[in-house]
Amino acid sequence: VAWDAIFTAYAQRDAGAFNRTVADYAAALAAAPPTQLQKANPAFEAWFNNFGPFSLCQWLYFTAFCFAVLAWLGWNVPLNRTAFWLIAVTFLVHTLGLISRMYISGRPPITNLYATAIYIGWAAVLAGLILESVYRLGYGNVLASVAGFASLLVADKLTLLLETSSGGDTIGVMQAVLDTQFWLATHVTCVVTGYAATYVAGLLGVIYVVRGVFTPSFNATEKKDLARMIYGTVCFGMFFSFVGTVLGGLWADDSWGRFWGWDPKENAALIIVLWNALVLHARWDGMVKDRGLAVLAIGGNIFASWSHFGVNQLGVGLHSYGFTEGVLVALGLFVASQLFFIGIGLLPQRFWLSQRREPATV
């Protein structure tokens, strides 16, 4: 009613009536604010935007990566320890930023593509810290720093793309079908955690290939430990991607009256489950050993990226609300980079520098 009175006064060019109706509406909002405004904290949101925790974390992760790489060249223990604690402190800031976004929006951590990049980076860094705490080989530091920096860089680029669609607002209005706390906290979180684990396994696979092909210091013990990291992470990704896909079917049944409709986004989620299952079965049946496991894990990066970004570019299906202009070229370049690592991973092992110090294995 208030908006109708405001627009009527505007249409009649009655400035006095327009000002009165606007003032009355503002007074009504102040007396009985909507739920969204009751929970709002403008001062905290202003502090959060000025602080910019994710931009800070991005470059701290890059600094930690430099320490982690230098550790392979010498002073292994002190440099790895420095990298680990720098990543740990940066992770706390990253966590603060994630919780702050949840507090400001009043929603679970993942609500749009920008939020998925923030969350995937957070989950990957946590995985790297855990792996480094267990194995203490420096690989967890490299994983955490690269994943943290790369994911926040992607989030930063998504912010630029949002300038044309929502004025750069990364906490935008939700699509109607997504406007549910329960399914955002269960299905979306599970699926994106599965994506994150798949990316972690793929990045570990890249580390395995790069270390094996280009460095002579990659010994048999480190190969076994790195293969164990990849295997465990794939298992983790398989579990969460499967559970998340099933929860997505339940959400679809609740929202659209059918559990599965072969929608492109549904198919893409299923591809992640099937790929992780393929990797595990190839390992269990002895079809691949450590090197093959690493190469297959890199392939998971391609499928996870297609499921995460690529399907949105089709602009079709009931899940077409995630289209982002300008992503397709970047996605193609990323896929090409992963195919390159798969290619060098498939080189005969006589060309691997790490094999010059030990007998070749099948």
Side-chain angles (χ1 to χ4, degrees):
V1 174
W3 275 99
D4 182 66
I6 291 171
F7 286 129
T8 300
Y10 180 83
Q12 296 174 352
R13 299 181 178 274
D14 187 341
F18 179 81
N19 291 336
R20 285 194 303 274
T21 52
V22 170
D24 291 343
Y25 182 57
L29 287 179
T35 304
Q36 302 97 306
L37 295 181
Q38 290 175 2
K39 296 180 179 179
N41 189 334
F44 180 79
E45 187 169 356
W47 170 86
F48 174 78
N49 290 332
N50 290 327
F51 177 45
F54 302 125
S55 296
L56 175 64
C57 290
Q58 181 180 337
W59 296 109
L60 289 176
Y61 283 133
F62 179 78
T63 304
F65 170 74
C66 294
F67 282 118
V69 171
L70 289 173
W72 285 338
L73 304 179
W75 296 326
N76 182 281
V77 174
L79 286 176
N80 264 326
R81 189 172 298 165
T82 301
F84 177 84
W85 287 110
L86 180 56
I87 293 169
V89 172
T90 307
F91 176 75
L92 293 178
V93 179
H94 196 156
T95 304
L96 172 65
L98 199 64
I99 294 174
S100 297
R101 280 180 55 86
M102 294 170 62
Y103 171 70
I104 292 169
S105 66
R107 296 185 179 278
I110 308 168
T111 55
N112 54 29
L113 278 179
Y114 174 86
T116 61
I118 298 296
Y119 179 84
I120 285 175
W122 179 85
V125 172
L126 177 60
L129 289 173
I130 292 173
L131 291 174
E132 185 62 25
S133 299
V134 174
Y135 290 95
R136 300 183 183 278
L137 294 173
Y139 297 124
N141 289 337
V142 174
L143 164 68
S145 56
V146 170
F149 174 76
S151 62
L152 295 181
L153 181 64
V154 169
D156 191 46
K157 298 305 180 184
L158 287 173
T159 303
L160 298 177
L161 295 174
L162 287 171
E163 290 286 348
T164 58
S165 59
S166 59
D169 184 13
T170 62
I171 309 179
V173 177
M174 298 291 296
Q175 293 283 336
V177 71
L178 297 177
D179 195 9
T180 164
Q181 299 285 68
F182 176 76
W183 293 115
L184 285 174
T186 53
H187 159 65
V188 175
T189 302
C190 277
V191 163
V192 177
T193 300
Y195 288 170
T198 303
Y199 279 125
V200 167
L203 184 52
L204 289 171
V206 170
I207 294 172
Y208 186 101
V209 168
V210 170
R211 284 280 283 150
V213 174
F214 298 108
T215 64
S217 60
F218 193 41
N219 58 49
T221 302
E222 289 187 4
K223 288 179 181 178
K224 285 296 180 185
D225 287 337
L226 195 51
R228 290 191 188 99
M229 296 182 204
I230 297 171
Y231 174 77
T233 309
V234 172
C235 291
F236 193 84
M238 172 68 191
F239 173 79
F240 276 94
S241 58
F242 174 75
V243 172
T245 301
V246 172
L247 289 173
L250 295 175
W251 186 2
D253 184 59
D254 182 55
S255 297
W256 299 318
R258 91 294 186 273
F259 180 84
W260 194 264
W262 300 106
D263 186 87
K265 195 71 173 181
E266 296 170 351
N267 295 341
L270 180 61
I271 287 173
I272 298 296
V273 178
L274 294 177
W275 182 259
N276 285 327
L278 180 150
V279 175
L280 293 178
H281 279 289
R283 178 67 170 183
W284 293 338
D285 290 345
M287 299 170 64
V288 297
K289 296 188 182 296
D290 295 345
R291 179 176 67 136
L293 178 66
V295 170
L296 288 175
I298 298 173
N301 287 340
I302 297 175
F303 293 108
S305 298
W306 172 253
S307 299
H308 191 196
F309 293 106
V311 176
N312 295 331
Q313 309 313 302
L314 300 176
V316 297
L318 294 173
H319 300 79
S320 60
Y321 41 76
F323 178 80
T324 306
E325 188 71 41
V327 167
L328 195 57
V329 173
L331 178 61
L333 292 174
F334 176 77
V335 170
S337 71
Q338 300 309 292
L339 291 175
F340 169 76
F341 287 120
I342 290 174
I344 63 174
L346 293 175
L347 288 173
Q349 288 197 320
R350 65 178 179 273
F351 297 112
W352 288 38
L353 289 180
S354 60
Q355 291 302 116
R356 296 183 180 181
R357 56 178 293 168
E358 60 187 66
T361 57
V362 178

